Amino acid sequence: MTSRLAVTRGHGLLDANCFRLRFTRQPLITHSASLRSSLNVEATWLATMRRVVVVIGYLAIATATNDANADGWSLFSGQLRRAEKQLLSETQELDSMGRVILRNTTPQVGAQSQMKPTPPPQPLWLQIDLGEVQSFDRIVIVPTIIGTASELLKPYAFPKRFRIDASNSKEFDTFQLIYESDRHSLDTDSPLPVVIQTPNAKARFLRMTVTELANVTGRWTFSLSEIMVLDGNRNLALQAKPEMIDTINLAPVWDERYLVDGLTPLGPPIIPPSTVEQLPEFDGVFFQTTDGDAETWFEIDFGQARPFDELRLFPVHARQGADYPGYAFPSEFRIELYSGEGDDRRVIFQTTEPFPNPGSNPVFLSTGDMEATRIRFVCERASLKSINKMGLSEFQVLYKGRNIALNQTLSAHHWRDDRPLELLIDNDSSYGKILTLTEWADRWERLRHLRRAIRSSEDKISSLTTTAKQRAAIWTGAATLLIGIAVLGSVWLNRIRSQRHRAEFRMQLAQDLHDEIGSNLAAIARIGEVGEAIDPNAETQEDWRSVRELASECTESIRETLWLLGGPDRMPDAFAEQLRCIAQRMLPGMRVEWIIDSEFDTYHPNEHVKREWVMAFKAILANVAQCSRATEVNVTAKPEGRGWNFSVEDNGQGFDATRWRERMPRRGMGLDGMSKRIQQLGGSVEVESKPNHGSRVTIHIR
């Protein structure tokens, strides 16, 4: 229902409807939406941060597990990534070189020194006499292998430290150091042969001095399987005379002669295939007759006289059946030369006793410089007692290290033609392609280097992985700390932002209330002013004056209230003056005496303190105005430490302060609410009063 009040002034009419309060929800809606948007952004950001923290936490847990085989640590170390790449390259190269099986296939093992309970006072040695001063480019030291060696098996009694010297004198009056194991950090626990490069070396005698023996079950000794001295594709040590002091002579296992017999646990000089599919189609060629006294043979025809200086026989290492090294190798045989087209025969090799089975090792026959048009190999007696059967996988004729038998014409007698005769000169053994001795030595050297490099890379990766895990733990901790700081900072910033949005919202709300209610109160005051001016009735004029004054007081009160809600501060700049204005408005007709320190006139508390102080002061004055029946009020402010002692004292009827304190939890919002406000500022409130003796409320602000 709308009421109308018509007031005549001159010729105009004032319609009270034009002063109706008008509130709009648009600012509230706008600011609420903005606040909700801010909170949604904060929630989304926090959810993302939680996911990041979960990932980092998972990484931290993985770090804490310290799994030595865990992948992914190279993320934290460039060195680790390079080491892993290097290890992969080394492993792939090692795999491409085929399987390594070290195995003695003959009874002859090598040479060993006498076993002593304590190391001898003088170093033990062995030396080789090459017969004359010769050039050589490699020395190969083959460790002794007992059983079948794998990568993890150590060699038997390999010397821990040694040196090799060369001399032209048997007594080594003068000598040249060729190799010293200490200088090369030699891995003496590896079963692989030691290949020593000796470019431009030239000597007749080689001596290996053992400076530290091996300890075998508490006794001191050393042993070797073979020593090779290579000049290109020739092993000069096959013609050498070995000498070893304090040696064990226990044939057919231990003897110094076995150091240069060509029988080793290394097998033939071949490249072993990586897969079964890469194996040669056949393991060898066989010759067989039912006549036990008949001879079987094969012949290589060069077509013309060709020089040669060495022959090599490769036994069959049977694999198309039982694993049998040296299968069907002839027990007695001879080798004949033919010159021209006639039957001019010359025997250059003839067994005088059963030839020992070479196992999987090739047989090297040095002939010296010779020449032939044809070479015939004749089996006089087979090694198999039940049948007259001979088998070979390859026959090589070499001149200065080159095989001249390749692609030559072959013929045979009692050849078992289930396999091509040309397999004898195809450069394949039973298990793979035949290498030159130089290539073979280089392969062993590379294998030893790769295995040592792989162990070194694995150790390096293990160390770098530990470092990477420590770094990951540090990075994870730092990242977690930074994320935590970022999360807390974001929460704090978003809280500040939310508070700012809420403050802006309160400001806008206060502004809207001020504009709407303030304009209506101003209109009411104006109506009172106009009514007082145009109404001749004195009694009515007093009513109009009361309306105007009440509207003005309400305007001031709403300004203070809106300021407390966060609206613009329209009170005087000086805090003390603000308090005076409030007291003047709330205590009309009372005598108010201000006893304040001069510093209080210039005191400017922060906005929060100011609001709480003003609210507490208004609560005190409200109690004075409503309950005290006082006529005088004294307001005192004086410094107290770093704060203030602020008190309001009246001469009213007072009350029982003791009972008031006892009833404090059950009281209303007045002095109790004022006390809580001051306590939030870190201060305290003291109430002193007795019936008929007035009251004093003191605020201690720190």
Side-chain angles (χ1 to χ4, degrees):
M1 178 176 180
T2 303
S3 61
R4 297 176 60 87
L5 173 63
V7 181
T8 304
R9 186 178 184 185
H11 302 286
L13 292 176
L14 294 176
D15 190 349
N17 280 335
C18 66
F19 299 109
R20 286 179 302 188
L21 292 175
R22 299 180 180 86
F23 290 97
T24 174
R25 297 178 66 244
Q26 187 59 37
L28 276 168
I29 295 172
T30 302
H31 284 274
S32 297
S34 176
L35 182 60
R36 284 195 301 271
S37 175
S38 174
L39 293 175
N40 288 337
V41 170
E42 177 182 354
T44 302
W45 195 90
L46 287 175
T48 302
M49 288 301 101
R50 280 195 296 270
R51 295 188 187 100
V52 173
V53 170
V54 167
V55 172
I56 294 178
Y58 175 79
L59 183 57
I61 293 172
T63 304
T65 60
N66 197 30
D67 184 1
N69 296 321
D71 296 329
W73 297 113
S74 57
L75 175 66
F76 301 94
S77 173
Q79 287 182 306
L80 180 56
R81 289 193 294 274
R82 290 189 291 273
E84 288 178 340
K85 185 177 180 181
Q86 179 68 23
L87 176 61
L88 177 62
S89 174
E90 293 164 348
T91 304
Q92 289 175 341
E93 182 180 356
L94 182 63
D95 292 341
S96 69
M97 298 183 75
R99 293 182 61 197
V100 175
I101 299 178
L102 306 179
R103 171 187 174 190
N104 284 309
T105 55
T106 63
Q108 297 84 352
V109 175
Q112 181 181 359
S113 68
Q114 296 286 344
M115 303 185 79
K116 304 289 185 180
T118 59
Q122 298 296 326
L124 301 181
W125 55 263
L126 63 87
Q127 71 181 40
I128 296 175
D129 180 4
L130 300 179
E132 60 182 347
V133 176
Q134 299 194 63
S135 300
F136 53 92
D137 50 38
R138 288 170 180 81
I139 298 175
V140 181
I141 309 296
V142 184
T144 303
I145 300 298
I146 303 299
T148 301
S150 65
E151 295 181 22
L152 302 178
L153 182 67
K154 294 182 180 181
Y156 174 75
F158 191 79
K160 294 300 180 183
R161 297 170 60 199
F162 62 91
R163 58 179 288 158
I164 297 177
D165 301 294
S167 177
N168 292 330
S169 168
K170 183 177 181 179
E171 289 73 24
F172 277 73
D173 298 326
T174 60
F175 58 87
Q176 176 187 0
L177 177 65
I178 297 293
Y179 179 84
E180 191 169 14
S181 60
D182 283 353
R183 294 186 181 182
H184 295 81
S185 301
L186 179 67
D187 179 13
T188 58
D189 288 332
S190 172
L192 301 182
V194 180
V195 179
I196 302 168
Q197 300 285 345
T198 59
N200 304 317
K202 193 173 184 180
R204 175 177 175 176
F205 296 95
L206 293 173
R207 176 179 287 183
M208 178 177 180
T209 304
V210 179
T211 54
E212 183 177 347
L213 298 172
N215 189 297
V216 179
T217 64
R219 292 181 294 175
W220 299 91
T221 184
F222 83 93
S223 71
L224 296 176
S225 174
E226 189 84 3
I227 295 180
M228 303 179 189
V229 182
L230 303 184
D231 176 24
N233 194 27
R234 292 192 309 148
N235 181 9
L236 305 178
L238 292 174
Q239 313 301 321
K241 295 179 180 179
E243 180 181 356
M244 180 175 175
I245 64 172
D246 203 20
T247 183
I248 295 176
N249 292 311
L250 187 62
V253 180
W254 301 112
D255 196 290
E256 62 186 18
R257 295 173 300 166
Y258 300 156
L259 286 172
V260 292
D261 62 354
L263 304 178
T264 76
L266 306 180
I270 62 172
I271 301 178
S274 301
T275 62
V276 175
E277 289 74 16
Q278 294 175 346
L279 285 169
E281 184 178 359
F282 298 104
D283 53 12
V285 178
F286 295 98
F287 305 82
Q288 185 173 345
T289 177
T290 57
D291 185 354
D293 295 327
E295 296 182 341
T296 59
W297 54 265
F298 66 87
E299 181 180 278
I300 300 176
D301 188 351
F302 298 109
Q304 60 181 358
R306 298 287 300 271
F308 65 94
D309 53 28
E310 185 179 4
L311 302 176
R312 294 180 185 174
L313 310 177
F314 286 80
V316 174
H317 188 160
R319 58 181 171 81
Q320 294 170 329
D323 179 5
Y324 193 100
Y327 177 70
F329 193 82
S331 175
E332 297 178 12
F333 61 90
R334 69 179 183 270
I335 299 176
E336 304 172 343
L337 302 186
Y338 293 87
S339 299
E341 297 181 357
D343 293 330
D344 184 13
R345 186 184 69 166
R346 177 184 175 190
V347 177
I348 61 172
F349 183 86
Q350 174 76 59
T351 58
T352 58
E353 58 184 14
F355 195 89
N357 191 317
S360 61
N361 300 280
V363 176
F364 298 87
L365 300 176
S366 180
T367 61
D369 291 337
M370 292 189 175
E371 190 175 275
T373 303
R374 294 176 293 151
I375 298 178
R376 177 177 291 183
F377 182 92
V378 182
C379 175
E380 298 175 343
R381 184 178 297 276
S383 58
L384 301 178
K385 296 181 180 180
S386 59
I387 55 175
N388 190 2
K389 182 179 181 182
M390 177 191 74
L392 288 176
S393 66
E394 187 78 8
F395 185 82
Q396 290 186 340
V397 181
L398 292 96
Y399 179 65
K400 296 186 181 302
R402 188 172 64 88
N403 183 14
I404 63 173
L406 293 173
N407 302 317
Q408 301 301 319
T409 303
L410 283 171
S411 58
H413 184 59
H414 296 305
W415 159 52
R416 204 177 74 181
D417 59 359
D418 57 339
R419 302 181 182 190
L421 187 61
E422 287 74 23
L423 292 177
L424 285 173
I425 54 172
D426 65 351
N427 208 40
D428 276 342
S429 72
S430 298
Y431 274 86
K433 186 69 63 179
I434 299 174
L435 301 174
T436 66
L437 295 183
T438 298
E439 294 171 335
W440 192 45
D442 289 345
R443 178 176 179 273
W444 285 116
E445 183 180 23
R446 185 59 183 166
L447 282 169
R448 176 177 272 268
H449 171 77
L450 281 174
R451 292 193 175 180
R452 180 176 179 180
I454 287 172
R455 286 195 299 271
S456 176
S457 295
E458 289 173 343
D459 292 342
K460 184 177 181 181
I461 287 173
S462 178
S463 175
L464 289 173
T465 300
T466 301
T467 302
K469 289 178 180 181
Q470 294 171 349
R471 185 176 300 169
I474 293 172
W475 287 9
T476 301
T480 303
L481 179 61
L482 290 176
I483 292 296
I485 292 173
V487 169
L488 292 176
S490 175
V491 171
W492 180 76
L493 289 175
N494 279 278
R495 183 173 297 174
I496 295 298
R497 190 179 298 112
S498 299
Q499 290 175 351
R500 186 173 66 248
H501 279 291
R502 287 193 291 269
E504 291 173 355
F505 174 72
R506 288 197 303 268
M507 180 71 74
Q508 184 64 39
L509 177 61
Q511 186 67 47
D512 291 346
L513 290 173
H514 177 271
D515 292 345
E516 293 290 339
I517 299 176
S519 61
N520 287 331
L521 290 173
I524 293 173
R526 178 60 179 167
I527 290 173
E529 181 183 350
V530 172
E532 182 183 1
I534 65 176
D535 194 340
N537 189 322
E539 186 176 337
T540 308
Q541 282 184 343
E542 183 65 24
D543 293 338
W544 286 113
R545 185 181 302 109
S546 297
V547 170
R548 178 171 55 80
E549 292 176 354
L550 183 59
S552 298
E553 290 181 8
C554 288
T555 299
E556 291 301 319
S557 179
I558 197 65
R559 284 177 178 174
E560 293 176 7
T561 303
L562 294 180
W563 168 67
L564 293 172
L565 289 175
D569 188 359
R570 294 185 173 89
M571 301 176 71
D573 293 335
F575 181 57
E577 187 61 29
Q578 293 180 10
L579 298 181
R580 287 190 181 95
C581 291
I582 292 172
Q584 182 179 359
R585 178 175 57 79
M586 295 186 66
L587 303 176
M590 289 190 190
R591 181 173 173 271
V592 180
E593 183 175 354
W594 294 82
I595 308 170
I596 61 176
D597 189 271
S598 59
E599 294 182 6
F600 195 75
D601 284 327
T602 57
Y603 173 56
H604 292 280
N606 62 49
E607 198 70 19
H608 179 59
V609 172
K610 182 190 291 187
R611 293 179 190 276
E612 299 301 327
W613 199 329
V614 166
M615 293 298 290
F617 184 58
K618 291 177 70 173
I620 295 171
L621 296 187
N623 277 281
V624 172
Q626 296 173 12
C627 306
S628 69
R629 299 181 184 177
T631 59
E632 294 182 7
V633 174
N634 295 331
V635 181
T636 305
K638 57 184 178 181
E640 184 178 68
R642 294 186 179 181
W644 291 95
N645 183 310
F646 183 82
S647 65
V648 178
E649 183 177 3
D650 65 66
N651 63 350
Q653 63 183 0
F655 59 93
D656 188 343
T658 302
R659 293 186 60 191
W660 176 82
R661 278 188 287 271
E662 293 174 354
R663 295 169 46 240
M664 190 173 180
R666 300 190 299 272
R667 293 191 310 274
M669 298 293 292
L671 293 177
D672 183 30
M674 173 265 296
S675 298
K676 292 180 180 178
R677 288 180 181 276
I678 299 303
Q679 289 172 2
Q680 290 177 357
L681 299 177
S684 61
V685 176
E686 182 181 353
V687 179
E688 302 175 74
S689 182
K690 290 183 180 181
N692 302 319
H693 287 82
S695 302
R696 180 168 62 193
V697 179
T698 303
I699 298 175
H700 302 276
I701 298 292
R702 297 179 179 84

